[in-house]
């Protein structure tokens, strides 16, 4: 016989023994336990003898299968009858019960980026590796990080889907937008299933924002006099 172990609690298993004909006295059969299952962990309470009452032809032994959430192989409990009292042992002296594992291994995810440093107008590929994730599974990624906006990526999307292949892997590529904003180094972070990888984006803007300042000399003047206004700029081309 066999059954799933369950994720908790216990399940009683009953194993029968029989006589070819009824006896006028009680028949007692010793029972021992073996197999790949561990007594006290995978099963408990095994009856160590079977008594078939006088005038009856059947008796039984019981043990309890313990449910758990551990991923493990199927396990066996083997009950073997010893020499009975007031009877003769027959040919079928052992019974094997299989405890079926019904627990699935947990899925795992990891993500890496290549390259880890990129200039504006470049691209980066994020590679996702999984275990215990079915081929064809759809995963979603999100993009964020220091200074990151929709204007930093081509297409302006900060999330998207990808599909896990038969090898348990998936990937997606992000194209970095080239802009004319002087914003300094930024960090782009991609996140999938709680796992993240980051890329440094070098600012390669060639047109820093212009600045202007104006002062007056003198700052106080009489009627009939003159005043000079001086304008100072940065990042403004000569001749502007």
């Amino acid at each position: 016989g066999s059954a799933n172990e369950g994720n908790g609690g216990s399940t009683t298993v009953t194993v029968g023994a029989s006589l070819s004909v009824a006896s006028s006295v009680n028949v007692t059969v010793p029972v021992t336990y073996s197999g790949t299952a561990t007594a006290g962990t995978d099963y408990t309470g095994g009856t160590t003898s079977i008594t078939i009452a006088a005038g009856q032809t059947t008796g039984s032994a019981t043990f309890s299968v313990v449910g758990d959430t551990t991923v493990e192989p199927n396990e066996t409990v083997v009950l073997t009858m010893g020499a009975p009292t007031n009877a003769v042992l027959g040919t079928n002296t052992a019974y094997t019960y299989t405890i079926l594992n019904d627990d699935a291994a947990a899925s795992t995810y990891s993500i890496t980026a290549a390259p880890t440093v990129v200039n504006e107008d470049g691209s980066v590929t994020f590679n996702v590796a999984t275990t215990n994730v079915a081929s064809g599974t759809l995963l979603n990624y999100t993009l964020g990080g220091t200074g990151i906006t929709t204007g930093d990526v081509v297409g302006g999307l900060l999330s998207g889907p990808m599909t896990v292949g038969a090898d348990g892997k998936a990937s997606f590529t992000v194209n970095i937008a080239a802009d004319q904003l002087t914003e300094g180094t930024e960090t782009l972070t991609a996140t999938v299933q709680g796992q993240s990888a980051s890329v440094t984006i070098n600012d390669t803007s060639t047109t820093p924002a212009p600045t202007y300042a104006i002062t007056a000399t003198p700052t106080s003047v009489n009627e009939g006099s003159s005043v000079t206004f001086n304008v100072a700029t940065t990042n403004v081309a000569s001749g502007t």
Side-chain angles (χ1 to χ4, degrees):
S2 64
N4 291 337
E5 64 182 357
N7 293 328
S10 60
T11 302
T12 299
V13 177
T14 301
V15 179
S18 62
L19 294 172
S20 57
V21 294
S23 173
S24 60
V25 295
N26 290 345
V27 173
T28 302
V29 186
V31 178
T32 58
Y33 291 78
S34 59
T36 59
T38 302
T41 301
D42 298 312
Y43 68 95
T44 60
T47 304
T48 57
S49 66
I50 299 173
T51 297
I52 301 176
Q56 302 298 314
T57 58
T58 60
S60 62
T62 62
F63 63 94
S64 296
V65 174
V66 179
D68 61 35
T69 56
T70 302
V71 179
E72 54 195 345
N74 294 339
E75 298 168 308
T76 59
V77 181
V78 180
L79 285 71
T80 303
M81 294 188 297
T85 301
N86 300 322
V88 177
L89 195 63
T91 56
N92 297 324
T93 61
Y95 175 85
T96 299
Y97 183 86
T98 302
I99 303 173
L100 301 175
N101 174 66
D102 56 2
D103 302 304
S107 300
T108 66
Y109 305 85
S110 63
I111 182 171
T112 57
T116 56
V117 178
V118 64
N119 292 333
E120 291 180 330
D121 201 30
S123 63
V124 56
T125 298
F126 291 94
N127 298 295
V128 177
T130 72
T131 61
N132 304 313
V133 175
S135 174
T137 298
L138 190 68
L139 301 178
N140 291 303
Y141 67 84
T142 58
L143 301 176
T146 305
I148 298 300
T149 68
T150 55
D152 291 307
V153 297
V154 175
L157 297 178
L158 297 181
S159 63
M162 63 186 144
T163 302
V164 177
D167 59 356
K169 298 179 180 180
S171 66
F172 59 96
T173 298
V174 177
N175 295 310
I176 310 302
D179 58 37
Q180 299 302 311
L181 299 177
T182 301
E183 51 202 348
T185 300
E186 297 174 306
T187 301
L188 173 68
T189 300
T191 301
V192 177
Q193 293 292 315
Q195 304 299 308
S196 299
S198 295
V199 176
T200 299
I201 301 175
N202 291 325
D203 185 6
T204 56
S205 301
T206 58
T207 308
T211 66
Y212 303 87
I214 184 171
T215 59
T217 305
T219 56
S220 178
V221 65
N222 293 327
E223 291 180 334
S225 299
S226 63
V227 59
T228 299
F229 291 93
N230 300 292
V231 177
T233 69
T234 61
N235 306 315
V236 176
S238 175
T240 298

